[in-house]
Amino acid sequence: MASTAVATGQAWSTGRVGLFGVSYYSGSQWKVVAKRPKGLACIIPWEGMSDYYRDRCRHGGIFSNSYITFWWNRQVITNQYGQPGRAASRWGDDTIEGDLSVEELGDNIRDQTPTTPRTGSLMTSTT
């Protein structure tokens, strides 16, 4: 929500902004629009979940964190800013400022679920 406030307050802005995104960024738009921030004129969610309970972890009412585990390990951890060895593993450029420690990586992780481990390392599936 802070980014909508910043964008609407810029000299070049009309005071109206929109959000666009695919997948995670699409799902995040629903959380922003629910807070009704000033100046948010539209959202364009594409291929994203709107109901985290049904779309993300309880398909058909049955708990499964297999997708969340796959997504976390493949998308979040590997792309986290400051992750060491990205260039060596051909996973992107190394961080300009250098690698972050395991403690710093853990402190910088944020997810929507309180059960996500904050270790900066791969999580394991329970299903």
Side-chain angles (χ1 to χ4, degrees), residues 14 18 22-23 27 30 35 42 63 72-73 80-81 86 89 95 113-114:
T14 64
V22 177
S23 191
W30 296 109
K35 296 194 179 252
C42 72
F63 175 74
W72 183 263
N73 291 334
Q80 186 181 2
Y81 189 80
R86 287 173 48 89
S89 63
T95 305
T113 58

Side-chain angles (χ1 to χ4, degrees), residues 24-124:
Y24 174 81
Y25 301 108
S26 176
S28 297
Q29 291 177 59
W30 296 109
K31 290 183 153 206
V32 173
V33 77
K35 296 194 179 252
R36 305 174 68 81
K38 179 183 175 190
L40 181 61
C42 72
I43 63 170
I44 307 171
W46 179 49
E47 292 186 356
M49 64 199 102
S50 60
D51 183 334
Y52 279 40
Y53 179 84
R54 289 180 181 86
D55 297 342
R56 185 173 180 183
C57 61
R58 294 223 180 241
H59 295 253
I62 300 167
F63 175 74
S64 171
N65 72 342
S66 297
Y67 172 75
I68 298 170
T69 301
F70 172 80
W71 171 78
W72 183 263
N73 291 334
R74 184 77 174 149
Q75 297 296 324
V76 176
I77 297 298
T78 56
N79 289 300
Q80 186 181 2
Y81 189 80
Q83 186 75 6
R86 287 173 48 89
S89 63
R90 295 180 156 176
W91 198 256
D93 296 332
D94 286 329
T95 305
I96 294 171
E97 292 85 1
D99 299 338
L100 297 179
S101 69
V102 172
E103 293 79 22
E104 288 174 299
L105 289 169
D107 288 343
N108 291 336
I109 291 175
R110 298 293 180 269
D111 192 37
Q112 295 95 11
T113 58
T115 58
T116 302
R118 298 184 64 211
T119 61
S121 62
L122 299 180
M123 74 186 261
T124 58

